[in-house]
Amino acid sequence: MKADFPKAPLVLPAAEAEVMRVLRNNGQTTRPEISRVTGWSRAKTSQEVSSLVKKGILKDVGEEDSKGGRKPRLLRLNNHLGYVVGVDIGATSLEVALADVNGQILQRTAEPADVRDAPEVLLGRCRKIIQSLAEKEGISAQLILSIGIGVPGPVNFSRGVLVAPPLMPDWENFPIRLFFKEAFPSALVVVDNDVNIMALGEQRSGDAANVDHFLVIKIGTGIGCGIMVNGKIHRGSDGSAGDIGHICVDKSGPICRCGNRGCLEAMAAGPAIEESAILAAKEGKSEFLRERMEANGGKLTPEDVNMACREGDEAALEIIRTSGKMIGDVLAGLVNFFNPSHIFITGGIANFGNHLLIAIKRAVLRRSLPLATTNLSINFSATGPDAGVVGAIMLALEYLFVVEGSKPYYGSS
Ligand SMILES: [Zn+2]
């Protein structure tokens, strides 16, 4: 007998798609919550939910805790629908996870990778990993409904391709979606940049659940920003929204990898911190950094600066404070412009602890309008190392259902 495999995206009437939207925010929902969010009557809610249950998309899964009265039944997606995959490609690592349609991770693997490898090589590895994870779980790869992929570079979201990616020039315009569709024809493939998927991960498993307007700032080799507006990622017209690393902070500053002068990234990210540390060591401002540099054969890493900070080294602390102030000055502009309620700081440099965070906060509070900072919280991300892969799964889920008759906004292929 020929198995009847589903094909994503799953097309739903507008009202049913609305139920899916409510459910996606928390991974589960109840009938009263759907009524509250949508403004529907109990009868209308009940009718739409019944239709989704009949189609095998939703499932009643038991009772929610309630303070007296009848307990509303919890609704979740029916796991029999199929599976989704999240792929998080970093500059030096690769993480792949297989999850059920409720976002529960079933199988996962992480391994070192070099993003400078050709896309066919690295993405070919991803395809094999997905197949082996499906085998381990004992499922057919044809049951994979959707694959979300995060990549460390600027992505044209509707086309699903990287555009002028500095870390991975060979990937320019490589048809990532097509490459995965060849191996998984029934799956929907969605590609986005690493900071956007982190913002999706933050929304699902971090402190950003139920937060409508927030920013995720990733500080590492570069500096990027994920923008959540009304609970949805804002990508802009072409996908480049949030590329704050190339906002100019000093017109006479050093040349950035984008070709312009004095970009935030060139002044305050990992490589700039390294350079400042080497200069401090050479100028005799820090004995600690000088010793580390000699031991490392003339080099220093951000981790060395971090260690120096922990030792209370004044030169290293000054480098971090300067970096934090520049980032904070740019964030102050974003806060005035966008008025988020939360900013979450993440990335390799964020591990530098409170000195960086305090410098960022000070600059933001000094330069933003009082109304914009009254309820503003600036903190480290609470999602930790899982943010990328969880976010990639959320990306895969986000586009699983589409409204009948609507144009697929993730592109045509
Ligand atoms: Zn630049």
Side-chain angles (χ1 to χ4, degrees):
M1 196 177 82
K2 187 175 166 291
D4 186 18
F5 292 113
K7 190 164 162 43
L10 306 169
V11 181
L12 296 175
E16 291 179 13
E18 187 67 9
V19 175
M20 289 297 124
R21 197 182 63 77
V22 179
L23 180 121
R24 201 165 44 226
N25 286 341
N26 298 317
Q28 60 189 29
T29 190
T30 60
R31 287 171 179 83
E33 190 190 15
I34 296 168
S35 292
R36 187 180 57 77
V37 176
T38 58
W40 294 343
S41 66
R42 276 173 60 183
K44 162 88 172 157
T45 298
S46 182
Q47 179 195 333
E48 300 303 339
V49 168
S50 297
S51 168
L52 284 161
V53 170
K54 259 187 220 144
K55 287 180 184 175
I57 292 173
L58 279 190
K59 214 178 164 189
D60 272 307
V61 287
E63 290 174 329
E64 188 191 40
D65 287 335
S66 174
K67 302 157 203 85
R70 242 179 83 200
K71 291 175 181 174
R73 308 268 299 162
L74 273 179
L75 294 161
R76 305 193 78 185
L77 282 173
N78 188 340
N79 276 336
H80 292 305
L81 272 178
Y83 299 84
V84 297
V85 168
V87 179
D88 178 24
I89 299 173
T92 56
S93 64
L94 169 63
E95 187 155 11
V96 183
L98 175 74
D100 63 29
V101 282
N102 285 297
Q104 193 70 41
I105 294 177
L106 305 167
Q107 298 283 343
R108 66 192 294 173
T109 185
E111 42 188 74
D114 188 343
V115 85
R116 290 168 300 184
D117 284 347
E120 293 90 340
V121 174
L122 212 154
L123 296 177
R125 271 173 66 191
C126 290
R127 293 203 309 204
K128 283 199 184 120
I129 292 172
I130 296 172
Q131 270 146 354
S132 77
L133 294 183
E135 266 169 43
K136 265 194 211 162
E137 190 60 26
I139 62 155
S140 158
Q142 292 181 78
L143 282 172
I144 294 170
L145 295 170
S146 182
I147 303 172
I149 303 166
V151 286
V155 171
N156 180 313
F157 186 69
S158 64
R159 291 176 54 226
V161 297
L162 282 139
V163 179
L167 287 177
M168 45 216 292
D170 290 353
W171 291 54
E172 167 109 37
N173 276 322
F174 183 82
I176 300 174
R177 281 209 298 254
L178 202 63
F179 190 80
F180 278 89
K181 292 285 269 184
E182 281 169 9
F184 308 101
S186 56
L188 173 78
V189 186
V190 193
V191 185
D192 206 345
N193 78 50
D194 52 353
V195 196
N196 284 350
I197 64 165
M198 278 181 163
L200 288 167
E202 191 70 39
Q203 189 180 37
R204 174 68 177 223
S205 60
D207 289 343
N210 300 317
V211 177
D212 285 336
H213 306 287
F214 69 88
L215 302 175
V216 170
I217 312 292
K218 185 183 176 193
I219 313 166
T221 310
I223 297 178
C225 173
I227 309 166
M228 195 65 77
V229 186
N230 281 323
K232 293 201 78 157
I233 290 279
H234 174 76
R235 299 184 173 90
S237 160
D238 298 300
S240 77
D243 220 341
I244 63 165
H246 302 284
I247 290 177
C248 180
V249 292
D250 181 0
K251 281 182 186 152
S252 52
I255 301 229
C256 176
R257 58 185 177 174
C258 75
N260 291 317
R261 260 188 198 284
C263 294
L264 177 64
E265 192 165 300
M267 305 277 298
I273 289 172
E274 283 170 27
E275 271 177 39
S276 302
I278 289 169
L279 195 65
K282 283 184 178 163
E283 288 177 349
K285 287 181 183 162
S286 162
E287 191 59 23
F288 185 94
L289 289 173
R290 191 187 60 76
E291 281 172 16
R292 293 291 306 169
M293 189 170 77
E294 277 174 11
N296 293 345
K299 284 184 188 160
L300 280 172
T301 63
E303 188 46 43
D304 292 318
V305 184
N306 191 12
M307 281 167 62
C309 284
R310 271 190 252 134
E311 295 287 318
D313 183 276
E314 201 40 57
L317 287 168
E318 193 50 37
I319 290 168
I320 292 307
R321 283 189 205 118
T322 307
S323 173
K325 180 181 177 305
M326 282 189 277
I327 295 165
D329 283 347
V330 167
L331 290 189
L334 302 183
V335 165
N336 283 342
F337 177 74
F338 174 62
N339 188 201
S341 64
H342 292 67
I343 296 178
F344 300 100
I345 313 280
T346 183
I349 304 296
N351 297 330
F352 281 30
N354 283 336
H355 302 291
L356 181 76
L357 190 64
I358 289 166
I360 291 175
K361 276 185 179 174
R362 269 198 193 134
V364 172
L365 290 176
R366 198 176 51 240
R367 296 189 66 106
S368 302
L369 295 171
L371 180 59
T373 52
T374 311
N375 295 310
L376 175 65
S377 140
I378 306 175
N379 258 310
F380 291 121
S381 156
T383 37
D386 268 0
V389 80
V390 170
I393 290 168
M394 290 304 113
L395 180 69
L397 287 170
E398 178 132 13
Y399 295 93
L400 196 52
F401 299 98
V402 294
V403 181
E404 212 166 48
S406 70
K407 261 171 68 181
Y409 35 100
Y410 45 82
S412 50
S413 61

